[in-house]
Each structure stands twice: as C-alpha cells, then as structure tokens.
C-alpha cells in the first residue's frame, strides 16, 4: 500500500491519475485501489486517509474482529465442529482405503462419500472473514458497483480454488466463467478486497455462496476464493490485447501502467528452503516470479508491435543499475525490498522510504516510457 501510494502521488503530479479509466487490482494492491475508487474525495484527502491507515495498521482491527465480535465465535465453531468432523471423516476414509488396497474390498464409493461429506461441511468464520470485517471499517457498506470516480471501471481479481480459475468482482459485473455472473445484491467492497488479498500461505480461502446466471440458467454455488495473484499474478489478463478467454471482463486500453510491490530477485543467502514451510513458500514465490516474467515479456511485446501505445512497469524490486537515471536522493531497492506485508503499523521512516521509492520510480518510468501521457 505504501509503495503504491507513492506511485499514485507521482501519477497525480503528472496529471495521469485522473485520466485512468480502468483499474485492475490484485492481492494487497486491491486495498489501495479500493481506497481510491470507492471514496469521493480529492487526492490530498485520499493521501491523508491512506497515510493514517498505514500508520495505524490493520492488525488491531483484525484482532478486534477475532476477539471482540461474533466473528470470533464463528471461527471457534468452525475449528471445533467443521475441523473435528472433517478430520474424522477423512481419517475414516483413510482407514477404509487399507482393506481396499490389501484385500480388494469395494469401499471406494464409501470413501468418496466420506470425502464429499467433509467438503460440504460449513465454514462459518476464519481469519479471512475477520480480515473482511476489518476492511469493512475502511469501506463501510459500499458495493463494488458504487465507484466514486467518474468514468472509472474497477476489476478486483481473485482466484477460485475449487475450479482453479479466475474470479472477478467488477464495477460492471462479477463472477467467473465456470459459474457465470453473480446475480442479486451487489458484493460489498470489503468482501471483494478480502478475497483478492487472501494470501494462501497465511490466510484460508474466503468460502462464500452466490447466485449465478450462466446461459440463462440460475444456480447457487459455493466458491473458495483466494489471492488473485494465484491465477493472474499481475491482474492484467483483462487488459491484455486479444485475450479472448477473458472477453467477459475485457477492457480495451491504449496505455498500461503496472504497479508491482514485489521485492525482486531472491538473495543468494536470503533463505534456507529445506524444511517444509520454507520450501513450500519459496516454491510458491518462484512459480509466481516465472509467471510474472512471462506476462511482462508479453506486455513489452505488445508495445513493440503497436498493440499497446505504451507500457510502463513500476517495480519496487527493480534492479537500480538498470534504470536510465536516478535522482541524488534516490531510495534504493536494498532499503525497502525486505519490508514485510503484515498490516502492522508503519513507522514514519519506513513509510517515507516506501512512498518515496514509489514516487521516484514512477517519475523515471513515466519519462522513459509514457512521456506522451505526462504533463
């Protein structure tokens, strides 16, 4: 959020931000994008509001939801009831699989029924629903179709773990191609952002039921939504030229500006990915980086062949030596690349470093690649 705020400051100074027609956000970037899109205030008030959120942090609000609201009871009930029954059903299925494997007994159908029963157990609350409650303090009762910025289209990207496909909440429509479009009441912004930012290594998926309509047929389906970066690491699939599989959400653009708060290349001595947690986390990050690199190559190619008028990548983890120039007071990658994303209160120093790097990189990239947009 802090890095992206700095990028927004520079885009505002250049006269570009108010001309943005589409914001497609993913993961933690969805928090800042929603703060911009769903608050009717000038840039100075927006900036002040985000700074106050960063200084205060969101951790306290999440803790309050867990321990001082009905959400905590729902979480406990889910752990005790659903968690216990799920373990029991899956353990019983495992026990039944032994005589099937050794003696050939016909227990496969019963094992399948036990697994299906475990999958259908209710999820009343989780840390992600507590996160949603905390975000409700930022966005109130605003729904995803209630964008406050004139002529701005918003797409908040998530991923449905049940089908492994993209799931999107948009100011024009919401849903996913496997399910169709969400019908009925509009989704709260807090729910959409919580789903988009539910980093799977830290947060469980947001389990939610919606009414969908697909090809004229309505049905109620339950989805398990996680961080949009799992499917679309940069949130640009709906903006890429000629992406037919995303036609339902496709938004034609002439210029594309990517804001990426990733830390960049791994340090050689930065991790010991031997034990389970370390190797799973590092493998997850490596897959994301590879997918991200492929997307960036495509976007640069679109600009080269004229499918995009211009593309600019503003990347916190940018290798500083590859920049065309830097100011005398430049904030380096090394100063900020290891700052954690944990929603804790930010110090004045860290807030300054991250926002300043965002501003500086944005000015550099705009002058180099997007000069036709700048004032």
């Amino acid at each position: 959020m802090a890095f992206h705020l700095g990028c927004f400051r520079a885009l505002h100074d250049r006269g570009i931000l108010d001309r943005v027609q589409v914001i497609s956000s993913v993961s933690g970037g969805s928090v800042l994008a929603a703060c911009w899109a769903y608050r009717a205030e000038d840039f100075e008030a927006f900036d002040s509001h985000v700074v106050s959120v960063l200084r205060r942090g969101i951790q306290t609000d999440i803790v309050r939801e867990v321990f001082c609201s009905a959400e905590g009871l729902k979480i406990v009930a889910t752990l005790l009831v659903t968690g216990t029954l799920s373990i029991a059903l899956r353990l019983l299925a495992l026990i039944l699989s032994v005589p099937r494997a050794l003696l050939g007994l016909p227990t496969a159908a019963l094992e399948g029924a036990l697994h299906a029963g475990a999958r259908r157990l209710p999820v009343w609350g989780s840390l992600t629903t507590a996160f949603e409650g905390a975000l409700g303090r930022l966005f109130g009762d605003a729904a995803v179709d209630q964008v406050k910025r004139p002529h701005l289209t918003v797409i908040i990207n998530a991923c449905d773990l049940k089908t492994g496909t993209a799931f999107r909440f948009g100011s024009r429509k919401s849903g996913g191609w496997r399910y169709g479009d969400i019908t009925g009441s509009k989704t709260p912004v807090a729910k959409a952002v919580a789903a988009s930012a539910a980093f799977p290594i830290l947060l469980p998926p947001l389990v939610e039921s919606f009414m969908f309509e697909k090809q004229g047929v309505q049905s109620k389906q339950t989805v398990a939504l996680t961080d949009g970066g799992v499917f679309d690491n940069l949130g640009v699939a709906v903006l890429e030229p000629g992406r037919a599989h995303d036609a339902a959400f496709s938004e034609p653009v002439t210029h594309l500006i990517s804001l990426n708060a990733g830390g960049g290349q791994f340090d050689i001595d930065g991790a010991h990915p031997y034990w389970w947690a370390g190797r799973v986390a590092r493998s997850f990050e490596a897959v994301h980086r590879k997918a991200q690199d492929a997307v960036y190559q495509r976007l640069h190619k679109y600009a080269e062949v004229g499918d995009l008028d211009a593309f600019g990548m503003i990347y916190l983890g940018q290798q500083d030596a590859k920049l065309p120039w830097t100011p005398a007071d430049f904030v380096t990658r090394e100063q900020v690349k290891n700052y954690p994303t944990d929603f804790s209160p930010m110090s004045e120093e860290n807030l300054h470093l991250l926002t300043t790097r965002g501003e500086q990189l944005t000015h550099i990239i705009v002058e180099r690649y997007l000069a036709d947009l700048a004032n």
Side-chain angles (χ1 to χ4, degrees):
M1 289 178 66
F3 176 75
H4 288 165
L5 177 61
C7 298
F8 271 42
R9 287 174 177 173
L11 292 174
H12 172 71
D13 291 344
R14 296 272 179 169
I16 297 174
L17 186 58
D18 286 333
R19 296 161 57 194
V20 170
Q21 296 180 22
V22 184
I23 290 183
S24 177
S25 67
V26 65
S27 195
S30 293
V31 183
L32 187 78
C35 284
W36 171 250
Y38 294 99
R39 292 178 62 88
E41 57 192 7
D42 60 23
F43 185 83
E44 287 69 26
F46 157 77
D47 190 312
S48 178
H49 170 71
V50 174
V51 167
S52 69
V53 172
L54 291 170
R55 286 177 174 165
R56 185 181 73 249
I58 304 178
Q59 279 187 351
T60 301
D61 290 338
I62 296 174
V63 170
R64 186 181 294 115
E65 288 292 320
V66 172
F67 293 103
C68 303
S69 76
E71 202 62 41
L73 297 177
K74 294 177 183 178
I75 294 172
V76 172
T78 299
L79 293 174
L80 292 179
V81 179
T82 299
T84 301
L85 287 176
S86 179
I87 292 173
L89 291 172
R90 294 181 188 279
L91 181 59
L92 183 56
L94 178 62
I95 293 172
L96 289 173
S97 70
V98 175
R100 175 174 54 82
L102 296 178
L103 304 175
L105 296 181
T107 62
L110 181 55
E111 293 170 42
L114 291 171
H115 283 296
R119 290 193 296 269
R120 287 194 292 268
L121 291 171
V123 176
W124 296 294
S126 68
L127 281 178
T128 306
T129 60
F131 180 39
E132 177 189 344
L135 291 173
R137 300 173 188 272
L138 288 179
F139 305 118
D141 297 328
V144 291
D145 64 330
Q146 297 173 334
V147 177
K148 303 299 184 182
R149 306 288 168 184
H151 314 298
L152 179 65
T153 296
V154 177
I155 302 168
I156 300 173
N157 296 270
C159 172
D160 174 41
L161 286 180
K162 293 180 67 175
T163 60
T165 57
F167 197 97
R168 299 184 171 98
F169 298 96
S171 54
R172 296 182 180 177
K173 64 191 305 182
S174 299
W177 74 268
R178 290 288 296 271
Y179 301 100
D181 298 337
I182 294 176
T183 62
S185 59
K186 298 297 182 179
T187 305
V189 173
K191 186 179 297 295
V193 173
S196 178
F199 186 58
I201 293 178
L202 300 176
L203 294 172
L206 185 69
V207 178
E208 193 74 25
S209 295
F210 296 101
M211 286 298 301
F212 295 95
E213 181 173 336
K214 184 177 182 180
Q215 297 178 346
V217 178
Q218 291 198 351
S219 64
K220 186 176 183 179
Q221 302 286 345
T222 300
V223 295
L225 302 179
T226 193
D227 193 311
V230 172
F231 183 86
D232 182 5
N233 190 233
L234 297 168
V236 299
V238 293
L239 307 179
E240 291 187 56
R243 303 293 283 178
H245 67 278
D246 284 304
F249 286 89
S250 180
E251 294 288 345
V253 297
T254 57
H255 298 71
L256 198 154
I257 306 170
S258 173
L259 310 182
N260 185 343
Q265 293 182 4
F266 297 149
D267 293 333
I268 294 176
D269 298 322
H272 181 57
Y274 178 79
W275 303 110
W276 184 87
R279 68 175 182 262
V280 169
R282 184 49 61 97
S283 298
F284 186 84
E285 292 169 356
V287 170
H288 267 224
R289 284 173 49 81
K290 188 63 176 179
Q292 177 177 288
D293 290 345
V295 173
Y296 277 144
Q297 289 177 9
R298 290 202 304 269
L299 294 175
H300 282 298
K301 193 67 176 180
Y302 292 141
E304 289 177 9
V305 301
D307 290 336
L308 285 173
D309 289 352
F311 164 63
M313 178 179 70
I314 304 165
Y315 186 24
L316 182 146
Q318 166 77 48
Q319 296 295 307
D320 297 340
K322 295 183 179 181
L323 290 168
W325 58 273
T326 58
D329 60 346
F330 185 61
V331 175
T332 67
R333 171 180 176 268
E334 295 300 317
Q335 291 176 271
V336 297
K337 66 182 179 66
N338 292 322
Y339 190 83
T341 302
D342 56 8
F343 296 113
S344 61
M346 293 189 70
S347 69
E348 190 69 34
E349 179 184 6
N350 285 323
L351 179 58
H352 170 74
L353 289 173
L354 283 159
T355 54
T356 300
R357 181 166 173 82
E359 285 187 80
Q360 293 172 334
L361 287 177
T362 302
H363 284 299
I364 294 169
I365 297 303
V366 166
E367 289 190 15
R368 174 64 178 83
Y369 296 102
L370 302 159
D372 62 321
L373 288 180
N375 287 338

